[in-house]
Amino acid sequence: MLNQITTAMRKVASQSAQKTIAHSISMRDTTSRMIAAAKHGLMVFGLIALATLTLIFFKPEVADQLQALSPFTQAVASTAPSADIPPMANLMDEPAGTDTDDVVPTASAAPSPMLGTDIQQKRVTEWLSKRYRVAGDATNMLVSAAYLTAKEINLDPLLILAVMAIESRFNPFAESPVGAQGLMQVMSKVHHDKFAEMGGAQAALNPVANIRVGSLILKEYVSRGGSVEAGLKRYVGAAEMETDAGYGAKVLGEYDRLKAVANGKRVSVYASMASRSAPKVQPIPDPLDRTKSAAGLINAKTAMEDQIKPENADKVTAL
């Protein structure tokens, strides 16, 4: 009897142990499958993220489309400057003159073709902000300053912005080894007289003062040189040299891209800093060469006629 009870207890214990082992094996297999599924899911997610980043790198407009689809995207109000109070007027060392109070723009007044419209200015601001990785508000301030200065001195604002892009990449605190400072890399030691009304040479790192002085210098050099190319050559300090080492072509290349952006064309913010290609010089044809070539054609035609005439004469004789 005792042996039967012992055998039964051993059998129950063995069955319980087998069930426990089977349950642990089943749990281990389930856990392994879950871990494997999680690894595969993470791998697929990583591949999708990598493919998305690659697509955005080659097609930046896709990022804007994805941002527009996001539920967290907020409508951004138009930041167009007011016609009555320029947004940069308060940043100047001197307030705007009172002469502008008498001139009130009317609804029928057409904007200057060179300055463009508020929509074009907004396009340029957004593109520059993305291209040079500058905060949107800061870019809007710099672009507004460039447009206001261009309006005051009658200069193309896109040319000013192109110079800023090549000179400093919109870094207001940039300084070169030779002492050129600010957004437009103005030599404050050389042009200290132009900073006198704005607080002296130390105002060279003031973005608004730097844009104004740099634009005045650029306009003066363009007037002296007689063309934008010659003015840019003077601006970079290569007036007495044969070439400007491609500086003017780089500025004009960026100017062309800004102009295309302002006109609503799609220009990638990752576009290379390609220079404007110089037009090929076509040789002027020599009148003497043209006369010689015409004479040669006449002589060739005469020779052909001489060869044809004897053949026709034989035919006539045979008849």
Side-chain angles (χ1 to χ4, degrees):
M1 185 67 181
L2 182 61
N3 290 335
Q4 293 178 354
I5 293 174
T6 303
T7 303
M9 291 179 64
R10 288 179 179 176
K11 187 177 181 179
V12 171
S14 177
Q15 291 177 353
S16 177
Q18 290 177 359
K19 288 181 180 180
T20 303
I21 293 173
H23 181 69
S24 63
I25 293 174
S26 176
M27 290 292 295
R28 184 179 62 185
D29 294 340
T30 303
T31 305
S32 300
R33 286 195 296 268
M34 292 177 63
I35 293 175
K39 288 182 178 179
H40 288 303
L42 289 176
M43 183 177 66
V44 172
F45 180 77
L47 291 175
I48 293 174
L50 183 61
T52 304
L53 291 175
T54 304
L55 182 63
I56 292 175
F57 180 80
F58 289 102
K59 293 186 177 181
E61 61 272 10
V62 175
D64 298 334
Q65 296 175 359
L66 294 176
Q67 185 177 3
L69 296 175
S70 174
F72 302 101
T73 304
Q74 298 179 354
V76 181
S78 176
T79 56
S82 172
D84 298 330
I85 303 177
M88 299 300 298
N90 296 331
L91 298 178
M92 299 296 292
D93 293 333
E94 295 182 359
T98 56
D99 295 338
T100 58
D101 297 338
D102 299 331
V103 181
V104 180
T106 59
S108 61
S112 173
M114 184 172 60
L115 295 177
T117 62
D118 292 341
I119 296 178
Q120 292 177 331
Q121 181 177 341
K122 184 179 179 181
R123 291 172 184 163
V124 170
T125 301
E126 294 176 352
W127 188 80
L128 289 174
S129 176
K130 295 177 182 178
R131 179 171 176 80
Y132 294 99
R133 299 181 181 180
V134 183
D137 293 339
T139 308
N140 182 49
M141 181 188 72
L142 299 178
V143 173
S144 298
Y147 270 77
L148 282 175
T149 303
K151 183 177 180 181
E152 292 176 3
I153 68 175
N154 193 25
L155 190 64
D156 194 332
L158 298 182
L159 179 61
I160 298 175
L161 293 171
V163 172
M164 291 165 58
I166 301 302
E167 288 287 354
S168 65
R169 299 183 65 87
F170 292 90
N171 179 8
F173 306 111
E175 184 170 358
S176 71
V178 296
Q181 295 177 314
L183 291 164
M184 300 190 70
Q185 291 292 279
V186 179
M187 297 289 292
S188 56
K189 295 181 180 179
V190 178
H191 303 283
H192 58 86
D193 55 328
K194 294 181 175 64
F195 286 104
E197 299 179 356
M198 303 179 186
Q202 62 270 18
L205 297 180
N206 180 332
V208 178
N210 193 281
I211 291 174
R212 182 172 181 81
V213 172
S215 301
L216 289 172
I217 296 171
L218 179 60
K219 182 180 179 180
E220 179 182 350
Y221 287 167
V222 170
S223 300
R224 286 185 185 180
S227 66
V228 176
E229 291 79 1
L232 291 173
K233 188 178 179 182
R234 286 176 176 270
Y235 192 88
V236 77
E240 304 299 330
M241 302 179 183
E242 294 183 1
T243 64
D244 59 0
Y247 172 81
K250 290 180 181 178
V251 173
L252 294 177
E254 190 72 359
Y255 171 84
D256 291 340
R257 286 184 284 274
L258 289 172
K259 192 172 182 180
V261 170
N263 291 331
K265 297 181 180 178
R266 289 185 176 274
V267 181
S268 174
V269 295
Y270 301 105
S272 61
M273 301 295 289
S275 304
R276 175 189 283 186
S277 57
K280 296 182 179 180
V281 179
Q282 299 293 339
I284 301 175
D286 190 355
L288 296 177
D289 293 340
R290 184 180 299 176
T291 304
K292 292 178 181 178
S293 60
L297 290 175
I298 294 173
N299 294 334
K301 184 178 179 181
T302 304
M304 292 177 63
E305 291 177 351
D306 293 340
Q307 293 177 358
I308 294 172
K309 284 179 180 180
E311 296 178 358
N312 293 337
D314 294 339
K315 292 179 181 179
V316 172
T317 305
L319 291 175

